[in-house]
């Protein structure tokens, strides 16, 4: 009887522990020191931060995230983006990371803004790499905050697209996302590996998020490292318009850079990161 009870308790505890350990991301930890949370962009894994981590992990403890549906991380059900945010808040609390620096690229930068808007006292520094609080404004000229349904013709076409067509689309898209041809291959390989439903529905989640008013709540200093493609004039106007409610922001523009600033201007990028952290 005692043996049976022991086995029952073991099995119950095992499944309970695994139930609560399931999250919408994987985390790799490197280095020692004050914590930095690094969020990659849409369709990418934590590998985009390899060069950054190689430098900053000498003086900081780096938490490198890959989100569900990207890389080898299993996909999750909708809503993808909101679930990631909720799980991250739990992770930050459980691991006592409230004084962290956030570094986020693209949707990872938007996520950083979302976390800081909801938790204004939590973070020490925020570094945004070519990201906006409202991506939909760029996609839809007359954007009025209308929500996009998951079930729409564009999403349907994307879900039904063949693997060959999907990869061809990604291979063409990355040519405009980075000027570094070697890194274009890396980005494309990561995007081609993305779970298709995550790619489609996760993008809808991102477009449905508008933080332009919410970022007024952020009390943490924010630095933006922005690409200058297609032109400095256009980019400057976009960033000033979208970040005008943010109380404390410093926008730095990377010359001759597309979306992946860390790949197109690596020396400049690492220099700015070092200065901010110090």
């Amino acid at each position: 009887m005692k043996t049976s009870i022991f086995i029952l308790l073991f099995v119950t505890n095992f499944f309970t522990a695994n139930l609560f350990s399931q999250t919408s991301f994987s985390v790799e930890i490197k280095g020692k020191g004050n914590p930095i949370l690094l969020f990659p962009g849409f369709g990418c894994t934590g590998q985009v931060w390899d060069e950054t981590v190689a430098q900053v992990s000498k003086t900081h403890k780096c938490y490198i995230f890959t989100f569900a549906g990207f890389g080898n991380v299993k996909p999750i059900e909708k809503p993808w983006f909101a679930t990631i945010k909720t799980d991250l808040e739990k992770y930050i609390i459980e691991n006592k990371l409230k004084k962290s620096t956030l570094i986020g690229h693209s949707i990872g930068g938007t996520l950083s803004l979302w976390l800081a808007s909801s938790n204004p006292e939590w973070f020490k520094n925020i570094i945004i790499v070519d990201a906006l609080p409202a991506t939909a404004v760029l996609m839809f000229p007359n954007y009025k905050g209308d929500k996009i349904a998951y079930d729409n013709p564009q999403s349907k076409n994307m879900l039904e697209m063949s693997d060959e067509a999907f990869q061809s689309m990604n291979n063409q898209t990355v040519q405009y996302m980075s000027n570094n041809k070697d890194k274009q291959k890396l980005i494309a390989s990561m995007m081609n590996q993305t779970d298709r439903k995550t790619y489609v529905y996760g993008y809808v989640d991102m477009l449905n998020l508008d933080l332009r008013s919410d970022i007024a709540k952020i009390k943490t200093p924010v630095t933006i490292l922005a690409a200058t493609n297609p032109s400095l004039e256009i980019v400057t106007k976009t960033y000033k318009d979208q970040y005008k409610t943010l109380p404390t922001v410093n926008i730095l523009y990377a010359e001759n850079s597309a979306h992946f600033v860390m790949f197109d201007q690596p020396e400049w990028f690492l220099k700015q990161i070092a200065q901010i952290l110090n």
Side-chain angles (χ1 to χ4, degrees), residues 77-83 147-159 197-208:
E77 295 297 324
K78 305 189 293 288
W80 175 81
F81 206 14
T83 302
K147 296 298 182 183
I148 302 169
Y150 287 122
D151 186 14
N152 64 74
Q154 180 66 20
S155 292
K156 186 175 185 292
N157 290 337
M158 290 282 290
L159 290 170
K197 287 185 178 179
T198 303
Y199 190 104
V200 173
Y201 297 139
Y203 202 81
V204 171
D205 284 347
M206 179 177 68
L207 291 177
N208 281 334

Side-chain angles (χ1 to χ4, degrees), residues 170-172 174-189 256 258 260 263-266:
N170 289 331
N171 293 340
Q172 291 179 23
V174 298
Q175 296 178 33
Y176 303 97
M177 300 177 77
S178 175
N179 299 326
N180 185 321
K181 293 192 180 298
D182 289 335
K183 294 299 186 181
Q184 286 176 4
K185 296 176 183 178
L186 171 65
I187 300 165
S189 68
N256 302 315
F260 282 79
F263 292 158
D264 289 359
Q265 294 293 344

Side-chain angles (χ1 to χ4, degrees), residues 106-127:
S106 191
I107 196 173
T110 305
L111 176 61
S112 300
L113 295 170
W114 199 7
L115 285 167
S117 298
S118 300
N119 309 282
E121 307 287 348
W122 276 20
F123 306 109
K124 181 180 180 180
N125 261 314
I126 301 173
I127 301 172

Side-chain angles (χ1 to χ4, degrees), residues 5 7 45 48 67 132 140 143-144 160 165 167 172 176 205 235 254 257:
I5 292 173
I7 292 173
T45 71
V48 298
F67 301 126
L132 296 169
F140 309 107
Y143 177 72
K144 301 296 182 182
E160 295 176 351
Q167 292 175 12
Q172 291 179 23
Y176 303 97
D205 284 347
V235 171
S257 176

Side-chain angles (χ1 to χ4, degrees), residues 10-22:
F10 174 80
V11 171
T12 301
N13 289 336
F14 175 81
F15 281 107
T16 301
N18 278 271
L19 175 65
F20 285 101
S21 67
Q22 296 302 311

Side-chain angles (χ1 to χ4, degrees), residues 90-101:
K90 294 176 182 176
Y91 185 85
I92 289 167
I93 292 170
E94 290 171 0
N95 291 277
K96 300 178 180 178
L97 298 172
K98 286 189 178 181
K99 296 301 179 182
S100 302
T101 292

